[in-house]
Amino acid sequence: MNKASRFFSILLMSLLLPSCFRNNEMYYLNGIANGTGFDNIAKANVLYFYSNITGMDSSGPLYYVLDYSEVDELVRFNNTVDKRRTLTDGRNENLETVVNSYISKWLSDIYSKLDEKYKIDWNKPYKYYSTYEEYVGCVLIYYENDGLLYALYDQS
């Protein structure tokens, strides 16, 4: 192998290898933050993270439980993309049905084994954001009293 080929091979490996070992937890959370416009969710402490990203298309479910209490209240849910995107206060039975169906379909095995503190509690007051009404694209569920933010994302 000549010097140019060896140099090119080393350069190529140094560029490609780090992507194999990136921190998927933060990588996906940053993607959710950027995609929704709620940039500050990427500053929250991750308490629990589950992903089952598979296949050639890298699709699958993501489930986060975040401690959002340390994020400054003044910027907590500022949306940098669209000021009309906000969290809605109060129960939404349609959202609850959609989220429960999503959990049953994609997360049931892992969700049934989760500690109760990492499960969504529909009996507690919450605020929410959802990209779609019919299915989980991205859903944020925020329990203000606990400072917990749950993020479900369907990586498609």
Side-chain angles (χ1 to χ4, degrees):
M1 185 183 278
N2 64 30
K3 282 186 177 183
S5 296
R6 191 173 311 143
F7 174 75
F8 182 71
S9 297
I10 292 171
L11 178 65
L12 188 61
M13 286 179 57
S14 68
L15 293 173
L16 295 177
L17 203 54
S19 68
C20 296
F21 298 104
R22 70 177 167 233
N23 180 347
N24 287 337
E25 179 179 295
M26 290 311 297
Y27 174 77
Y28 292 125
L29 186 57
N30 284 324
I32 293 170
N34 293 334
T36 61
F38 297 110
D39 292 337
N40 292 307
I41 65 173
K43 295 178 183 172
N45 294 325
V46 177
L47 301 176
Y48 180 80
F49 169 65
Y50 172 77
S51 74
N52 190 13
I53 305 300
T54 60
M56 295 295 291
D57 60 351
S58 296
S59 63
L62 298 171
Y63 183 83
Y64 284 91
V65 181
L66 308 166
D67 178 1
Y68 208 51
S69 61
E70 298 298 317
V71 177
D72 182 2
E73 282 186 53
L74 298 174
V75 297
R76 196 170 279 173
F77 286 108
N78 286 350
N79 195 303
T80 59
V81 174
D82 185 346
K83 298 299 179 200
R84 294 173 294 175
R85 291 186 193 173
T86 61
L87 269 70
T88 304
D89 199 5
R91 289 193 68 165
N92 180 327
E93 290 182 15
N94 185 53
L95 173 82
E96 293 174 17
T97 300
V98 167
V99 168
N100 288 339
S101 295
Y102 182 79
I103 288 170
S104 292
K105 182 175 181 179
W106 298 107
L107 306 168
S108 62
D109 291 341
I110 191 74
Y111 197 80
S112 65
K113 297 172 188 167
L114 276 179
D115 190 315
E116 289 299 315
K117 66 183 174 185
Y118 299 131
K119 292 182 179 181
I120 297 167
D121 184 353
W122 297 122
N123 295 315
K124 293 163 65 174
Y126 62 89
K127 296 180 179 184
Y128 68 92
Y129 168 81
S130 180
T131 51
Y132 304 104
E133 290 185 21
E134 314 80 47
Y135 61 92
V136 171
C138 178
V139 173
L140 304 175
I141 301 163
Y142 179 59
Y143 294 99
E144 194 166 26
N145 293 340
D146 300 335
L148 295 178
L149 177 67
Y150 294 73
L152 291 89
Y153 187 76
D154 187 20
Q155 176 82 13
S156 311

